[in-house]
Amino acid sequence: MTEDHLASPADAGFSVSKNRGQGPLMFASTTPLTTVMASLRRLGVPGPCIDVVTVMYRLVFVLLESISVIRQAQTSRLGYSTPRRTLTSAGLLTAAVLTRAWTQARRLEMGLAGRDFGISMPTLDTPAVNWRFIGACAVTFSAITGASLLEGTLL
């Protein structure tokens, strides 16, 4: 099939199902948590729900760091050298990470119980959306996409 015979984006290999998860990934990687929390507050989401989301978001990175450290220690001790050791190491990794997460959650609960946590976590007020910037980004993205489609270089 040559460039001259491409009738539709589907012929060029485009598929909606291939790109389905890119929207949330793009949102999560480009939007600061404080902006999301401020938006949820403006939408009327209860403060305790926002606080739980904030704490969970922050603890996800602690959990990922624990996984990385434990897996690196297992790898340096040849924990993944054979299929049997891999299965054993994966089980031990799961047990260790869950134990650490449980311990961290218990320590966090005790720390929050010792404080008067009746107020919500403060966030910075963010300015309103800059629609000119969003429009300029959309025009630029559209121009790049259009040029790529015309040249046939977009995957």
Side-chain angles (χ1 to χ4, degrees):
M1 181 179 284
T2 63
E3 294 177 17
D4 300 332
H5 295 98
L6 293 178
S8 70
D11 294 337
F14 288 103
S15 174
V16 174
S17 63
K18 288 181 185 177
N19 300 325
R20 191 177 329 174
Q22 290 181 356
L25 180 62
M26 183 68 140
F27 176 77
S29 62
T30 59
T31 308
L33 182 66
T34 55
T35 303
V36 174
M37 295 304 119
S39 299
L40 289 175
R41 285 190 206 289
R42 282 194 299 270
L43 288 174
V45 175
C49 292
I50 295 173
D51 292 341
V52 168
V53 169
T54 304
V55 170
M56 287 176 57
Y57 177 81
R58 290 178 180 165
L59 288 180
V60 163
F61 296 104
V62 173
L63 185 65
L64 289 174
E65 180 65 25
S66 295
I67 291 171
S68 175
V69 167
I70 294 169
R71 184 153 171 37
Q72 183 179 9
Q74 287 178 334
T75 303
S76 66
R77 294 183 179 106
L78 300 176
Y80 295 92
S81 59
T82 64
R84 183 179 175 134
R85 281 188 175 181
T86 298
L87 186 61
T88 302
S89 294
L92 291 172
L93 174 66
T94 303
V97 168
L98 290 177
T99 303
R100 281 190 183 192
W102 188 267
T103 303
Q104 179 75 17
R106 189 176 324 147
R107 288 176 32 209
L108 180 65
E109 179 186 12
M110 289 188 314
L112 292 176
R115 300 179 185 173
D116 183 21
F117 200 66
I119 59 169
S120 62
M121 292 183 169
T123 57
L124 298 174
D125 289 333
T126 56
V129 175
N130 187 343
W131 291 107
R132 286 189 296 169
F133 176 75
I134 291 176
C137 289
V139 167
T140 303
F141 179 72
S142 299
I144 291 170
T145 303
S148 297
L149 286 174
L150 289 176
E151 292 295 320
T153 59
L154 191 61
L155 298 176

